Amino acid sequence: MNQKAVATSRIARRPPRTLVVGGGFAGLAAATALVDRGHDTQLVERRPFLGGKVFSFYDPAAGHAVDNGQHAFLSAYRNTMALLDRWGAGHRVAFGRRLEMVFMEAPGRARRFAGTGLPAPLHLLGALLRFEALPVRDRLAMARPALDLLALDAAGRRELDAMSFAAWLSRHDQSPQAVAAFWEPLALAAVNGSPQEVSAYMALQVLALGFLGSERTSHLGFATEGLSALVEPFVPYFTARGGELLARREVQAVREAGERSDGFRWVVEFRDGDTLAADSVVLAVPHWRLARLVDPQLRQRAGLTASEGLAAAPIVSIQIVLDRPVVEHAAVALLASPIHWVFAAGRLRSDAPPGALALTVSAGRELATLPQDEVAAIARRELERFFPSARGAQVLACRVIKEMDATLSCAPGSEALRPAQETILPGLAVAGAWTRTGLPGTIEGAVMSGLLAVEAIERERGQACSLAQPLSDPGGAALLARWVGRALGRRAAPVESLLERNETCSK
Ligand SMILES: Cc1cc2nc3c(=O)[nH]c(=O)nc-3n(C[C@H](O)[C@H](O)[C@H](O)COP(=O)(O)OP(=O)(O)OC[C@H]3O[C@@H](n4cnc5c(N)ncnc54)[C@H](O)[C@@H]3O)c2cc1C
């Protein structure tokens, strides 16, 4: 055999080498799927820890691992839960036994939005009709958007991306009270923006994910330990299968390997000057970082320039430990308050003291500009206003965490700017909650994107596979209701006319 043939046969025999840049949930999902499929995989992470936007750190003052911000899981997060189970961390997320959310309009006045236990979508309609925060007239009016949601399939929802959720709600005769008491807290929690700020498509996607699948997809879940405990078992899983973790290593540039060296097509350059070559690369970094890693020409060729128009939305979290528990429910939305949600960390977590609370301000652009002690004072004031038993309680620890690019900003029209995970360049894929997943910036979106990126890499190698589980399909009862809704002409306003009317509206 001549030398060239020896080299070629060596290349043919070695496993494909794939590099994943970014150790958030998108990168972790991709790296897991790659080692499972026999790739020689390297995962590069800039920071000393994994998890990206999902992490915790031990706070001696608080006496437990404090999260960078409360994260809620939905039982419809099929890909996330499958990934956590694969690592052996699935038991670290506990789900409620049914759909339940608590909204507080004034001190001591908690209103439950609770599913009926009936099959979807009856559980949702039952919850709407029994929601005492609103007068009966408003509750009945809420059935209209619910029925229209049923009537729209995924393609129909997608056509609503140019419209704001607020405009969609107004087209469905939702009173200002219904928006303030229900739709706004829901949009803030699920899409990280007010109904004015987010697209109808993204809001409806989350509602469809949670409410249309089956009764079981609408349960909220929370980590029972610090968030970093969720990703902890990834490292032994990954390295036991031959994966190599390169932490504290920042990638500075990604480029094509000009001349084919040993058959590798891509080269990444590290900040310290080192380089690594690979057959394929999954770039699982935030969208604004991608623009720094890939030069404009390559971005153009890869079809990644549109994402430069995407923006991020912040989340401000206040982690407080009081000397006693003051919040009865696991999660409470505060209405007409600068603090949007209060989570009873002391109840949700096995390792936190009973008085631990996590307060969240979604899309909190204004609060994010205030000094930490002012934010803490606002949090304390609101706690005392809504929960009288907090008055006089001693604050044992308080920490304000501002995540300025917590999630993708799902402004109307942003869907068209989100790229697919597959690029036109062989061996280059992108991942991240900001890529096109059909979901807003969520853990589930991040995990799906990582799996879709690996599907793209494998397809290009002629090893097509199906890894990402699709967003839950409507259950039988929901399909029946969709059929009935359509038959009754519930979809009287076609999507196109809604869009037209919205444009007229915004003039
Ligand atoms: C406070 C807060 C609350 C949230 N609440 C929820 C919630 O309740 N439910 C939910 O589903 N989602 C929630 N989210 C959103 C969710 O956390 C994110 O959408 C998801 O974790 C994003 O994952 P990702 O892998 O796409 O990106 P990231 O987590 O941002 O990961 C990207 C990784 O790339 C690394 N990196 C960047 N540049 C480089 C480089 N040059 N070289 C090497 N590595 C690099 C980064 O350090 C990071 O680890 C919340 C987010 C925040 C911040």
Side-chain angles (χ1 to χ4, degrees):
M1 219 189 286
N2 66 27
Q3 259 189 341
K4 195 174 167 198
V6 170
T8 313
S9 74
R10 209 182 296 134
I11 292 163
R13 267 189 279 117
R14 69 167 170 76
R17 184 188 290 174
T18 306
L19 218 94
V20 179
V21 184
F25 266 82
L28 296 177
T32 302
L34 287 165
V35 285
D36 283 350
R37 295 185 62 78
H39 285 239
D40 168 12
T41 312
Q42 279 145 333
L43 172 65
V44 188
E45 168 54 48
R46 185 176 70 88
R47 301 198 283 190
F49 56 88
L50 297 173
K53 296 202 176 71
V54 184
F55 71 95
S56 54
F57 54 93
Y58 186 75
D59 180 348
H64 68 289
V66 162
D67 293 339
N68 67 321
Q70 181 67 51
H71 278 67
F73 296 72
L74 208 54
S75 44
Y77 280 16
R78 293 196 276 183
N79 292 290
T80 306
M81 292 316 297
L83 182 69
L84 294 178
D85 283 341
R86 184 162 289 210
W87 300 339
H91 65 285
R92 291 179 177 160
V93 177
F95 287 94
R97 280 203 297 258
R98 63 178 182 158
L99 161 66
E100 182 169 88
M101 287 179 275
V102 176
F103 297 76
M104 196 168 260
E105 49 192 338
R109 284 179 65 187
R111 306 296 193 189
R112 283 167 68 240
F113 180 83
T116 52
L118 292 169
L122 297 176
H123 73 311
L124 171 63
L125 291 177
L128 287 173
L129 292 175
R130 294 185 309 168
F131 187 43
E132 287 178 351
L134 291 170
V136 175
R137 190 191 57 241
D138 279 346
R139 283 184 242 167
L140 290 173
M142 282 163 90
R144 181 154 178 238
L147 282 170
D148 254 12
L149 173 63
L150 280 170
L152 285 169
D153 56 17
R157 292 194 293 271
R158 191 166 177 175
E159 286 181 55
L160 294 170
D161 189 52
M163 179 186 276
S164 75
F165 188 40
W168 191 83
L169 291 172
S170 131
R171 290 293 152 203
H172 288 78
D173 301 326
Q174 296 304 286
S175 70
Q177 204 182 346
V179 173
F182 183 73
W183 298 112
E184 173 141 326
L186 210 65
L188 284 166
V191 198
N192 198 20
S194 68
Q196 291 79 16
E197 291 169 320
V198 304
S199 80
Y201 170 56
M202 271 302 124
L204 296 182
Q205 280 294 91
V206 182
L207 292 175
L209 176 73
F211 297 138
L212 297 192
S214 78
E215 193 280 325
R216 286 192 312 277
T217 59
S218 57
H219 305 184
L220 282 180
F222 300 96
T224 54
E225 298 171 46
L227 287 171
S228 289
L230 296 180
V231 300
E232 196 180 73
F234 163 81
V235 178
Y237 182 97
F238 181 63
T239 50
R241 286 158 183 79
E244 188 186 357
L245 175 61
L246 306 171
R248 290 181 198 266
R249 299 293 304 277
E250 181 166 350
V251 170
Q252 187 165 263
V254 178
R255 57 177 167 77
E256 285 164 301
E259 231 172 70
R260 286 183 145 236
S261 72
D262 281 347
F264 294 126
R265 298 180 293 194
W266 292 95
V267 172
V268 303
E269 289 173 12
F270 292 92
R271 184 168 281 279
D272 57 17
D274 268 5
T275 57
L276 258 182
D279 297 300
S280 305
V281 176
V282 176
L283 287 177
V285 298
H287 57 92
W288 53 273
R289 274 198 183 266
L290 185 96
R292 294 186 193 167
L293 300 188
V294 184
D295 77 47
Q297 247 190 354
L298 197 57
R299 280 207 308 276
Q300 180 87 42
R301 282 176 48 222
L304 293 170
T305 46
S307 59
E308 286 155 31
L310 291 170
I315 293 181
V316 177
S317 304
I318 306 106
Q319 310 286 8
I320 297 187
V321 182
L322 298 180
D323 61 357
R324 66 188 85 141
V326 299
V327 179
E328 201 183 311
H329 304 279
V332 183
L334 303 186
L335 304 182
S337 167
I339 304 295
H340 297 142
W341 285 83
V342 177
F343 298 92
R347 287 179 188 282
L348 299 170
R349 298 264 302 266
S350 57
D351 58 340
L357 296 170
L359 280 57
T360 299
V361 184
S362 299
R365 289 186 181 82
E366 274 173 43
L367 235 69
T369 61
L370 298 180
Q372 309 239 342
D373 52 350
E374 273 185 49
V375 178
I378 292 171
R380 178 82 208 243
R381 186 195 69 207
E382 292 301 289
L383 272 181
E384 292 183 356
R385 188 159 77 87
F386 281 90
F387 305 96
S389 58
R391 292 173 200 155
Q394 201 188 336
V395 178
L396 303 179
C398 180
R399 193 182 272 272
V400 176
I401 301 168
K402 300 174 183 175
E403 288 276 17
M404 300 309 289
D405 65 335
T407 67
L408 173 73
S409 161
C410 292
S414 49
E415 191 60 14
L417 307 176
R418 297 170 77 178
Q421 293 71 29
E422 181 167 26
T423 74
I424 203 164
L425 301 178
L428 181 69
V430 291
W434 57 276
T435 60
R436 201 182 308 147
T437 61
L439 283 176
T442 52
I443 299 181
E444 178 70 359
V447 172
M448 275 185 80
S449 74
L451 299 176
L452 291 169
V454 175
E455 285 183 14
I457 299 275
E458 291 293 70
R459 209 164 28 245
E460 193 264 328
R461 293 177 55 234
Q463 304 287 324
C465 59
S466 173
L467 301 170
Q469 299 183 55
L471 302 176
S472 52
D473 303 317
L479 283 173
L480 182 65
R482 173 178 294 172
W483 182 81
V484 172
R486 281 179 172 167
L488 290 174
R490 289 302 319 169
R491 225 182 144 195
V495 167
E496 298 84 315
S497 73
L498 281 173
L499 286 169
E500 273 166 29
R501 280 191 278 158
N502 181 42
E503 274 165 25
T504 319
C505 216
S506 60
K507 271 179 196 156

